[in-house]
Amino acid sequence: MSSKLPVLFVTSRLPALAQQRLEALTDVEVRQHTSAHAISRTQLLEAVGVANGLVCILSDKIDAEVIQAAGPQLRVISTVSVGYDHVDVGALGRHGGISLGYTPNVLTDATADTTVLLALMAARRVKQALQTVANGGGGGFSLSTGLGSQFTGKTLGIVGLGRIGCATAARLLPFGITRIVYSGSQPRDDRARPLNAHYVSFEDLLKESDLVCICCPLNERTAGVFNRQAFAAMKSTAILVNTARGAIINQDDLLEALDSGLIAHAALDVTVPEPLPGDHPLARHPNCTILPHIGSATEETRNAMSNLAIDNALAGIKGQELMAKVDL
């Protein structure tokens, strides 16, 4: 279709309500990759060459090559995610003239819910229980087998006390958690005070916590920080939950830690790669529970994220202030 309207390119199909809104837009020409398969590298490079705005998802690698391929008309990249480690912000800043939008706040509750879900699944050995049912129920009710643990009287460690970290801690307190510690680049007294959470070093958090929840962004400081040394510092009864980014954990070291009993269980919503192959040792490990990155996967949240991404893209195309903008 020939059009003089600015072009908004969307790299994947959106949830139903947001998709309806997208298709009804009249002030831009919408072009969209709607296949169930991820957009190819070639298609992405071609798209940024003509688009005025780009709506992408976290599996789209927006690196220096993509940014260099962008035509001078590209004014905004809007990612449907709160994390933006898939975008080369350095290259974007050097390019100049392209704003970066993201979707904070709207996925806090859904991701915190998933974090608690994984923690409970790990503590109550749900993976093993489901396998028992699938195998015919085992030997029936038993007082001594399939026993999990409770959070009553336990210490919770939150790595990264941001919005999701706070929401996770608030949800876990009613399960009997008696102490909350957190680590990060600096103390967050305003957020810690309502939770009576205590700022500690990363090393002390590992030593003290019965349940460790990773809620921090992926960056140079956090990449691979959960490695052999970190697992060796944790309690052998500790549970590790990750709903942030897969690359924060060294997965080879995690497998070794689970095999050797350095920690009790890992529960992951994020892995490297995604999806993790079904025959991967972690996917098959009895003490590792894995979900297919569903942290924000509710109708309410995914539609809210998509609508905010559309808002950011439209604002950028029109030269207006983005609703949620990353400072480059």
Side-chain angles (χ1 to χ4, degrees):
M1 180 179 70
S2 176
S3 174
K4 293 183 179 179
L5 293 173
V7 173
L8 173 61
F9 190 88
V10 184
T11 64
S12 65
R13 189 168 182 83
L14 304 179
L17 295 178
Q19 182 67 29
Q20 290 174 14
R21 178 194 173 195
L22 181 71
E23 294 172 356
L25 293 176
T26 59
D27 50 352
V28 292
E29 177 190 343
V30 175
R31 300 182 187 179
Q32 186 177 24
H33 178 77
T34 57
S35 169
H37 300 287
I39 188 170
S40 71
R41 186 71 173 173
T42 299
Q43 290 172 311
L44 181 59
L45 291 170
E46 290 176 353
V48 296
V50 299
N52 301 91
L54 175 72
V55 173
C56 64
I57 59 177
L58 56 82
S59 57
D60 299 323
K61 188 177 182 181
I62 311 299
D63 57 11
E65 182 186 19
V66 173
I67 293 165
Q68 289 169 5
Q73 80 293 328
L74 185 64
R75 306 192 66 175
V76 60
I77 295 173
S78 179
T79 181
V80 192
S81 61
V82 66
Y84 45 88
D85 48 278
H86 57 296
V87 180
D88 188 335
V89 293
L92 202 57
R94 290 190 296 273
H95 182 281
I98 304 176
S99 298
L100 177 60
Y102 70 132
T103 60
N105 301 319
V106 294
L107 50 69
T108 299
D109 287 338
T111 306
D113 288 349
T114 303
T115 308
V116 175
L117 169 67
L118 280 168
L120 290 170
M121 289 180 72
R124 296 303 299 270
R125 302 182 66 185
V126 170
K127 181 176 184 177
Q128 294 93 325
L130 291 173
Q131 289 173 342
T132 298
V133 172
N135 292 334
F141 178 80
S142 170
L143 289 174
S144 59
T145 61
L147 304 184
S149 60
Q150 298 173 210
F151 295 136
T152 308
K154 302 293 177 61
T155 295
L156 166 66
I158 299 287
V159 181
L161 197 68
R163 289 178 291 267
I164 294 172
C166 288
T168 297
R171 282 161 168 74
L172 283 167
L173 273 172
F175 286 94
I177 293 289
T178 52
R179 177 173 166 79
I180 299 176
V181 295
Y182 72 99
S183 66
S185 57
Q186 61 184 359
R188 303 301 300 265
D189 293 340
D190 56 329
R191 293 176 175 174
R193 193 173 300 110
L195 299 167
N196 194 28
H198 306 276
Y199 181 71
V200 298
S201 68
F202 178 64
E203 292 74 17
D204 285 344
L205 181 145
L206 297 176
K207 294 175 184 177
E208 297 178 20
S209 301
D210 300 288
L211 169 63
V212 176
C213 295
I214 303 174
C215 302
C216 60
L218 173 63
N219 53 41
E220 292 181 357
R221 183 178 61 84
T222 62
V225 70
F226 277 87
N227 53 23
R228 183 178 292 103
Q229 181 179 354
F231 297 130
M234 295 173 67
K235 296 181 179 182
S236 62
T237 54
I239 292 169
L240 176 66
V241 177
N242 187 13
T243 52
R245 286 292 185 269
I248 294 172
I249 295 177
N250 182 312
Q251 291 181 173
D252 290 337
D253 290 354
L254 173 60
L255 179 61
E256 181 182 307
L258 291 171
D259 283 341
S260 62
L262 287 178
I263 66 172
H265 201 108
L268 315 173
D269 187 46
V270 286
T271 57
V272 179
E274 290 181 2
L276 198 69
D279 61 353
H280 190 283
L282 285 176
R284 301 171 65 88
H285 203 287
N287 295 327
C288 187
T289 299
I290 300 177
L291 298 178
H293 204 151
I294 63 167
S296 63
T298 66
E299 292 282 352
E300 298 88 345
T301 293
R302 289 283 173 87
N303 275 293
M305 292 170 65
S306 299
N307 277 314
L308 179 51
I310 293 172
D311 290 338
N312 282 332
L314 294 177
I317 289 172
K318 297 173 183 177
Q320 300 171 352
E321 188 68 22
L322 274 60
M323 297 284 290
K325 180 180 178 181
V326 177
D327 293 326
L328 301 175

